[in-house]
DNA sequence: TCCGCCATTTGATTTTGATCAAGTGAAAGC
DNA sequence: GCTTTCACTTGATCAAAATCAAATGGCGGA
């Protein structure tokens, strides 16, 4: 029976993996016990403090990661310093760009985080032998592509107010997908990061926060904690369907 | 010998496929002669006039396509009509979003085009059995993701002038990758489309064209034909590295 | 406790690009 | 051949967001 076989296999799964919250959510779910053992031999967990860089734009990719806890921001920087956040990744997302030597983006912990690293060549080898693993990575890439395109609409066509509301809505729906109540959360980004995500300045972001607060769309405590009394209303402010 | 075996296989490849320009560039390159025969049984080529819709936002996906000729634009529309082009696809790109029932975007011929359609379920079945095919689609998704993120920087952080220069540079480098001389080409998009791609109005796009023309960065004939005397100079105007 | 720092907010002014409105010019139809 | 149409350009004005500048307020360290 399927359940029985899984139980047997479970007993061979590395302890760290069995205790791992991303065991099924990340890429690891596609692997057999045997493969997990191999991957585990080379993988290592790391804590990242806010601001810690996972990889820099233009650097050689040596590791892929699973995000175990926290939020990682993906940014692009122009020569003159202008900056754009092109993606936010939440646990238990896979982090990395397969099949590319050099990273086109910087990945940096937006909050205190924890990641599980595996060497690029080990996972690459595993991908070649495990169609199910490539399938998982493929799905992850498509998810990120959908998200990127959604955000292009926000960047290109929304007003400052709609952008800020869109951001709040995004965080509310991503930060803790488990929790029933998405209406109260801590922002994982500073005002400067939010500005870089929305293509605005920090002043404009701040003013829009104030406006949304005065119109009772949100409440703010300590700058970072937000409550949303009516999520549908926030959604309307975001002009998101 | 590898070459020999391929020759033998070639003789079994459907005629239409053997004559097909996208035979190796699209997804078909991952398939055996046998698989090509099967796919070919259900596939059909279509001409698309400018403006013809391949699929609409919210519609059920019934076909995937290879673009044989022309340029296809991917757009998102808001409830109030605001519109954003979130991607341009050039021959011989694969067109479609695997693993999703409903399309999140509209795909529409930007120029007179030609596509090769195959039913979704046939390709889906083929993907399950052919890791090499999924690998190709995976790579295509990652390429599109890279492009989307590059464009997010353009949308979020560049000025109108930089945006228009970035667009011209993109077209110059994509429209005809074969040609040695990329310095002269026809624009595949109208001013309105360009505006929707750049998150600007047509008036602003037009003014920036005029400015670039007056500064001798480009020359324009008949509104649609552009020559670039110095590609590096255009690149600098685009603030692209 | 007080100081200094840093993130954030708020205010005044400027700038960029949007909007509104009129032209221009080339191709299609009568 | 003339008109109509449509895409595009150009001009004048407006508004949204950027910029410049100054508060505010919480927090950690002396």
């Amino acid at each position: 029976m399927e359940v029985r076989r899984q139980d047997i296999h479970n007993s061979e799964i590395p302890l760290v993996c069995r205790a791992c919250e991303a065991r099924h959510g990340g890429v690891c779910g596609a692997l057999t016990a045997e493969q997990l053992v191999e991957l585990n031999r080379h993988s290592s967990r790391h804590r990242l403090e806010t601001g810690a860089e996972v990889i820099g734009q233009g650097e050689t990719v040596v590791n892929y990661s699973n995000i175990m806890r926290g939020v990682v921001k993906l940014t692009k920087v122009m020569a003159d310093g202008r900056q754009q956040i092109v993606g936010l990744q939440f646990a238990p997302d896979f982090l990395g760009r397969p099949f590319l030597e050099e990273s086109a983006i910087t990945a940096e912990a937006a909050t205190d985080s924890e990641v599980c690293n595996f060497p690029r060549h080990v996972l690459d080898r595993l991908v070649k032998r495990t169609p199910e693993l490539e399938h998982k990575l493929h799905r992850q890439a498509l998810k990120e592509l959908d998200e990127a395109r959604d955000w292009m609409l926000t960047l290109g066509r929304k007003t400052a107010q709609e952008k800020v509301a869109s951001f709040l809505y995004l965080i509310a729906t991503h930060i803790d997908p488990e929790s029933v109540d998405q209406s109260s959360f801590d922002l994982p980004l500073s005002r400067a990061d939010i500005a870089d995500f929305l293509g605005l300045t920090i002043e404009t972001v701040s003013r829009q926060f104030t406006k949304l607060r005065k119109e009772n769309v949100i409440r703010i405590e300590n700058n970072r904690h937000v409550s949303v009394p009516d999520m549908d209303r926030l959604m309307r402010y975001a002009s998101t369907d």
Side-chain angles (χ1 to χ4, degrees), chain A residues 15-241:
Chain A
L15 261 172
V16 258
C17 294
R18 261 188 282 170
C20 174
E21 314 82 66
R23 166 92 177 71
H24 298 284
V27 292
C28 305
L31 302 176
T32 64
E34 201 180 359
Q35 290 175 318
L36 274 178
V37 169
E38 180 185 342
L39 188 58
N40 193 251
R41 239 201 310 278
H42 305 281
S43 70
S44 56
R45 282 178 82 133
H46 293 276
R47 282 174 186 285
L48 299 174
E49 292 188 6
T50 300
E53 199 175 280
V54 179
I55 187 167
Q57 193 170 337
E59 289 178 15
T60 303
V61 182
V62 295
N63 282 314
Y64 300 129
S65 317
N66 269 336
I67 304 173
M68 314 302 303
R69 184 173 56 80
V71 179
V72 173
K73 58 182 182 179
L74 311 179
T75 70
K76 282 184 168 274
V77 190
M78 292 171 65
D80 63 5
R82 278 176 286 174
Q83 206 166 334
Q84 176 68 43
I85 295 184
V86 298
L88 286 183
Q89 311 234 230
F90 300 83
D93 284 348
F94 172 80
L95 180 58
R97 167 58 165 93
F99 319 129
L100 213 66
E101 277 289 315
E102 189 177 298
S103 178
I105 59 186
T106 298
E108 187 175 335
T111 64
D112 289 348
S113 304
E114 213 171 318
V115 295
C116 184
N117 286 345
F118 9 86
R120 191 160 90 93
H121 68 273
V122 174
L123 193 74
D124 281 353
R125 190 148 31 85
L126 225 41
V127 169
K128 281 205 193 96
R129 292 192 271 121
T130 318
E132 177 62 22
L133 179 55
E134 174 138 49
H135 182 67
K136 279 228 169 188
L137 292 173
H138 186 190
R139 280 186 173 276
Q140 163 91 20
L142 288 167
K143 190 192 84 174
E144 288 178 36
L145 180 57
D146 290 343
E147 287 167 355
R149 286 176 170 165
D150 280 345
W151 209 247
M152 287 173 78
L153 178 63
T154 300
L155 288 174
R157 288 304 185 198
K158 290 191 184 174
T159 64
Q161 176 153 100
E162 289 171 330
K163 283 181 174 183
V164 171
S166 297
F167 168 73
L168 291 169
Y169 187 73
L170 176 82
I171 298 302
T173 51
H174 282 74
I175 202 70
D176 191 2
E178 303 304 300
S179 95
V180 185
D181 184 19
Q182 301 180 329
S183 68
S184 186
F185 50 87
D186 279 319
L187 294 175
L189 300 187
S190 68
R191 297 294 186 273
D193 281 342
I194 297 170
D196 281 342
F197 193 33
L198 295 171
L200 299 170
T201 60
I202 54 173
E203 293 94 331
T204 299
V205 170
S206 177
R207 276 184 250 272
Q208 296 304 331
F209 267 106
T210 303
K211 223 186 251 178
L212 290 173
R213 186 166 46 70
K214 286 189 177 157
E215 297 180 27
N216 294 312
V217 179
I218 55 171
R219 275 189 302 130
I220 307 178
E221 291 155 40
N222 297 328
N223 288 336
R224 284 290 187 119
H225 192 82
V226 175
S227 336
V228 182
D230 180 349
M231 197 61 79
D232 283 350
R233 186 139 175 272
L234 176 62
M235 214 176 80
R236 284 197 298 280
Y237 269 75
S239 299
T240 299
D241 47 337

